[in-house]
């Protein structure tokens, strides 16, 4: 049997190679490392690290791992917690007193578990004027997306604040803390936390994006991400996984990193602290992915089979998570069937499909004004940008599958009270009513009433809005071009893709401002200036 093991590993590695045949000696590619039972069984590299200089990818190639770094930030925080220098229940303002008081306590654990309600800076930076860094932008905010602990919403902002908290508490830059307390003790010799992305880093792969028939560089070189980025190799990341498996940072850190988060109502989530807790083909998975411009990464473990995989790529030619799961299928013993709720819901037929088409449309939350669009896609009833829906009765539908990224993993049901009204009943029994957005007849006078300049102190930016042919045309911060074309949903609600503008009026009915929302940012307030401006 001992003689057969290397041959079996070699056979599996050969099958793994077939998954990366798209990466040629002329294209970007990936590095992939696999360990099982603590032993590296595959360490491969495919494609080029540098197209311009024809540098091949190797197992020593270094990548920007994007948000895969969050587990390292979480581990740094937990080391300080174990030493009783901080507590998970501490208010973040204890360490960053310049952060606004939102009227609700935001704990370190809220930040670690993405339940803080802080607006994600990545959804605000494109709007901001003057190119502020992430920390500065976060500190300007005067509102939250939700009350801390009430919902789950991925927020890079929380981890920006955590790196700053670690630096202030430890008395050293986060990069130094990570090196002394994480990388050096574990022997991760190729891993660095880099603040200046323009610094020379040996063996670094360059990031790329495909534009038609040619490749272009695609990298974050500025320092606006709030504290820097983590650069590493696939092999070093396996060392990290092995350290978590064997509690080399201590039992407390390893256990807390993998402890499921809970909302205030007690709902348990499939997210811990810097790690997603999921199941793949019947096997428990602890993992996180990352994206940083052209770089894409996935690092995960299957603890029950002692399997660890790292996939790092320098383009988005093929999704790193998809590749990692295909690699896992080569090494998992007896991988099971896909989980219930994975993939698309069953297709509807005949009368059920006709009925779903009649129920599709745009609905608005009567309490918050948030939008919910129901669509029929290839015979399947679903929420646009969200999960599928399967019929329970003619007027009741349940969510197909539950993942934390949509409605905080709520296993809700929809109940249609009429063609134009529905109730969403949460898994805890809370009911929210939605009404259908009715067709809106555009009146030119309405557009003129909304025209003008709107300014946001939180973003340091402004919108110039003018009447267009079939909606409003917006120009941000004196930008040129044709502008953004916002179409009306209702009298004072306009939308473009995932962006929604809701206008505010005073008691006399005069427009005094607007609230801006996108998928990761809610209700940033813009104030209408006293006199509309005319673009020249």
């Amino acid at each position: 049997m001992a003689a057969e093991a290397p041959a079996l590993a070699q056979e599996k590695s050969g099958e793994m190679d077939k998954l990366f045949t798209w990466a040629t000696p002329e294209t970007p590619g990936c590095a992939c490392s696999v360990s099982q039972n603590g032993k590296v069984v595959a360490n491969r590299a495919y494609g080029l690290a540098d197209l311009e200089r024809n540098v091949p990818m190797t197992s020593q190639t270094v990548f920007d791992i994007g948000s895969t770094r969050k587990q390292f930030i979480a581990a740094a925080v937990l080391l300080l917690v174990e030493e009783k220098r901080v507590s998970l229940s501490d208010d973040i303002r204890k360490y960053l007193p310049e952060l606004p008081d939102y009227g609700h306590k935001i704990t370190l654990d809220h930040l670690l578990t993405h339940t803080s309600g802080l607006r994600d800076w990545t959804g605000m930076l494109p709007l901001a004027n003057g190119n502020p860094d992430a920390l500065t932008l976060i500190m300007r905010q005067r509102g939250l997306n939700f009350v801390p602990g009430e919902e789950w919403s991925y927020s890079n902002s929380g981890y920006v604040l955590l790196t700053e908290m670690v630096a202030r508490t430890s008395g050293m830059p986060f990069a130094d803390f990570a090196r002394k307390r994480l990388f050096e003790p574990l022997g991760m010799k190729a891993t660095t936390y880099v603040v200046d992305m323009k610094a020379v880093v040996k063996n670094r792969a360059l990031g790329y994006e495909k534009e038609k028939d040619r490749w272009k560089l695609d990298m974050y070189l500025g320092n606006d991400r709030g504290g820097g980025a983590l650069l590493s190799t696939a092999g070093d990341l396996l060392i990290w996984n092995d350290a978590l498996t064997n509690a080399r940072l201590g039992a407390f850190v390893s256990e807390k990193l993998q402890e499921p988060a809970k909302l205030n109502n007690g709902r348990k989530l499939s997210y811990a602290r810097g790690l997603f807790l999921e199941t793949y083909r019947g096997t428990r998975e602890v993992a996180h992915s990352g994206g940083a411009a052209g770089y894409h990464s996935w690092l995960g473990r299957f603890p029950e089979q002692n399997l660890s995989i790292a996939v790092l790529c320098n383009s988005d030619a093929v999704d790193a998570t998809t590749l990692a799961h295909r690699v896992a299928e080569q090494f998992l013993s007896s991988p099971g069937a896909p989980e219930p709720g994975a993939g698309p819901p069953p297709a509807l037929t005949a009368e059920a499909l006709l009925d779903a088409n009649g129920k599709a449309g745009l609905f608005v939350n009567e309490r918050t004004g948030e939008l919910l669009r129901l669509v029929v896609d290839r015979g399947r009833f679903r929420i646009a940008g969200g999960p599928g829906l399967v019929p329970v009765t003619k007027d009741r539908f349940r969510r197909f599958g539950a993942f934390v990224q949509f409605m905080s993993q709520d296993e809700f049901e929809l109940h249609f009270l009429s063609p134009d009204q529905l109730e969403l009943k949460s898994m805890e029994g809370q009911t929210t009513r939605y009404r259908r957005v009715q067709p809106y007849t555009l009146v030119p006078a309405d557009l003129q009433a909304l025209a003008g300049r709107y300014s946001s102190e939180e973003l340091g930016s402004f919108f110039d809005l003018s009447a267009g042919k079939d909606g409003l045309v917006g120009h941000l911060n004196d930008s040129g071009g044709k502008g953004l074309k916002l179409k009306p949903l209702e009298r004072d609600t306009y939308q473009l893709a995932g962006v929604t503008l809701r206008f505010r009026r005073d008691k006399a009915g005069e427009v005094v401002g607007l609230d801006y929302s996108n998928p990761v940012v809610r209700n940033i307030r813009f104030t209408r200036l006293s006199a509309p401006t005319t673009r020249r």
Side-chain angles (χ1 to χ4, degrees):
M1 290 294 292
E4 292 176 7
L8 182 60
Q10 187 173 0
E11 179 184 336
K12 291 182 176 181
S13 297
E15 290 298 313
M16 185 181 86
D17 291 342
K18 296 177 183 177
L19 303 174
F20 293 88
T21 54
W22 54 270
T24 73
E26 289 80 37
T27 71
C30 302
C32 178
S33 294
V34 182
S35 70
Q36 199 149 29
N37 300 318
K39 183 177 181 180
V40 176
V41 294
N43 201 12
R44 297 281 207 271
Y46 312 89
L48 292 177
D50 182 339
L51 302 186
E52 211 168 325
R53 281 157 283 275
N54 205 40
V55 179
M57 201 81 74
T58 73
S59 58
Q60 284 76 47
T61 299
V62 172
F63 297 78
D64 182 340
I65 69 170
S67 285
T68 301
R69 71 185 178 132
K70 285 185 168 63
Q71 59 198 285
F72 295 86
I73 297 171
V77 173
L78 291 172
L79 285 173
L80 295 177
V81 172
E82 186 175 31
E83 295 166 358
K84 301 191 184 310
R85 299 170 72 178
V86 304
S87 169
L88 290 175
S89 61
D90 282 345
D91 190 328
I92 183 61
R93 295 184 72 246
K94 177 179 178 181
Y95 307 98
L96 281 72
E98 66 269 40
L99 187 71
D101 183 353
Y102 298 110
H104 302 280
K105 179 181 178 181
I106 298 176
T107 68
L108 302 188
D109 210 30
H110 286 142
L111 301 177
L112 287 167
T113 57
H114 297 297
T115 57
S116 68
L118 284 171
R119 296 165 175 160
D120 189 345
W121 69 264
T122 65
M124 299 186 288
L125 190 63
L127 297 170
N129 208 358
N131 195 30
D133 60 55
L135 185 59
T136 298
L137 188 56
I138 295 165
M139 292 296 182
R140 284 183 189 167
Q141 300 309 300
R142 295 296 181 268
L144 298 174
N145 283 346
F146 50 82
V147 174
E150 291 293 306
E151 299 180 37
W152 187 96
S153 182
Y154 194 82
S155 175
N156 291 284
S157 297
Y159 277 76
V160 171
L161 299 185
L162 288 170
T163 57
E164 182 69 15
M165 184 279 294
V166 170
R168 295 187 188 187
T169 302
S170 66
M172 67 179 80
F174 185 85
D176 292 345
F177 185 92
R179 175 174 54 82
K180 293 179 180 180
R181 299 296 306 276
L182 300 175
F183 309 145
E184 288 181 351
L186 298 179
M188 298 174 66
K189 296 180 180 179
T191 303
T192 53
Y193 201 92
V194 178
V195 175
D196 184 359
M197 293 299 291
K198 294 182 180 179
V200 174
V201 178
K202 289 186 177 181
N203 299 321
R204 174 163 46 174
L206 303 183
Y208 297 92
E209 68 170 338
K210 190 74 173 286
E211 188 177 88
K212 295 182 179 179
D213 59 348
R214 67 191 184 103
W215 292 99
K216 289 178 59 179
L217 283 172
D218 189 20
M219 303 167 67
Y220 291 141
L221 294 177
N223 300 322
D224 59 6
R225 278 192 275 177
L230 197 149
L231 306 187
S232 190
T233 64
D236 259 20
L237 294 180
L238 291 189
I239 293 174
W240 173 259
N241 268 359
D242 184 67
L244 296 187
T245 297
N246 296 294
R248 290 183 59 197
L249 291 172
F252 175 82
V253 173
S254 292
E255 290 170 8
K256 285 293 181 182
L257 275 175
Q258 300 169 78
E259 180 181 73
K262 289 183 180 180
L263 297 182
N264 293 343
N265 63 10
R267 184 189 304 169
K268 188 180 289 188
L269 305 176
S270 61
Y271 194 87
R273 298 179 175 93
L275 288 166
F276 286 94
L277 310 174
E278 296 177 338
T279 300
Y280 184 71
R281 291 195 172 273
T283 303
R284 186 164 63 93
E285 174 189 284
V286 182
H288 208 291
S289 61
Y295 299 101
H296 295 265
S297 62
W298 189 91
L299 176 64
R301 294 179 294 130
F302 301 87
E304 293 161 358
Q305 299 197 27
N306 209 0
L307 176 67
S308 179
I309 298 172
V311 176
L312 305 178
C313 304
N314 64 335
S315 81
D316 63 353
V318 181
D319 177 61
T321 300
T322 299
L323 288 167
H325 282 155
R326 290 176 180 170
V327 170
E329 290 170 12
Q330 306 303 318
F331 290 90
L332 288 171
S333 61
S334 303
E339 286 66 43
L348 302 175
T349 58
E351 186 178 343
L353 180 58
L354 184 64
D355 185 61
N357 277 308
K359 289 179 166 63
L362 185 63
F363 293 79
V364 60
N365 185 318
E366 292 183 347
R367 181 175 56 84
T368 67
E370 291 182 66
L371 299 170
L372 185 74
R373 187 180 293 276
L374 305 181
V375 298
V376 175
D377 176 20
R378 288 170 288 185
R380 296 172 172 89
F381 195 32
R382 65 182 315 113
I383 295 173
L389 300 167
V390 293
V392 178
T393 65
K394 181 178 174 61
D395 292 321
R396 288 185 182 273
F397 296 80
R398 63 175 173 81
R399 175 179 180 160
F400 184 78
F403 45 93
V404 72
Q405 294 95 325
F406 187 83
M407 287 193 178
S408 309
Q409 210 166 326
D410 190 356
E411 297 177 19
F412 57 81
E413 283 195 0
L414 297 185
H415 177 206
F416 282 83
L417 306 176
S418 72
D420 295 333
Q421 274 198 329
L422 65 84
E423 287 183 342
L424 185 150
K425 186 176 182 180
S426 76
M427 58 194 292
E428 292 83 20
Q430 183 178 353
T431 299
T432 304
R433 184 164 290 194
Y434 289 77
R435 61 172 172 80
R436 185 183 295 274
V437 174
Q438 298 298 331
Y440 175 67
T441 302
L442 188 66
V443 178
D446 283 347
L447 295 181
Q448 293 298 334
L450 302 177
R453 174 166 286 190
Y454 296 77
S455 175
S456 167
E457 290 185 4
E458 292 175 288
L459 298 175
S461 63
F462 55 88
F463 269 124
D464 285 325
L465 297 178
S466 58
K469 182 178 179 182
D470 56 358
L472 289 170
V473 177
H475 288 83
L476 178 67
N477 301 329
D478 277 334
S479 60
K482 296 181 179 179
L484 304 172
K485 296 182 179 180
L486 296 136
K487 294 192 174 183
L489 299 179
E490 299 184 300
R491 182 183 179 222
D492 286 334
T493 303
Y494 286 69
Q495 192 175 44
L496 171 66
V499 170
T500 304
L501 301 185
R502 295 186 184 88
F503 291 88
R504 301 191 311 275
R505 296 176 183 265
D506 61 16
K507 293 180 180 179
E510 294 294 320
V511 176
V512 294
L514 66 84
D515 292 332
Y516 169 98
S517 298
N518 67 35
V520 294
V521 167
R522 298 182 195 171
N523 299 324
I524 293 183
R525 181 157 287 208
F526 282 74
T527 300
R528 189 183 189 187
L529 302 184
S530 55
T533 59
T534 301
R535 292 184 59 81
R536 299 179 184 275

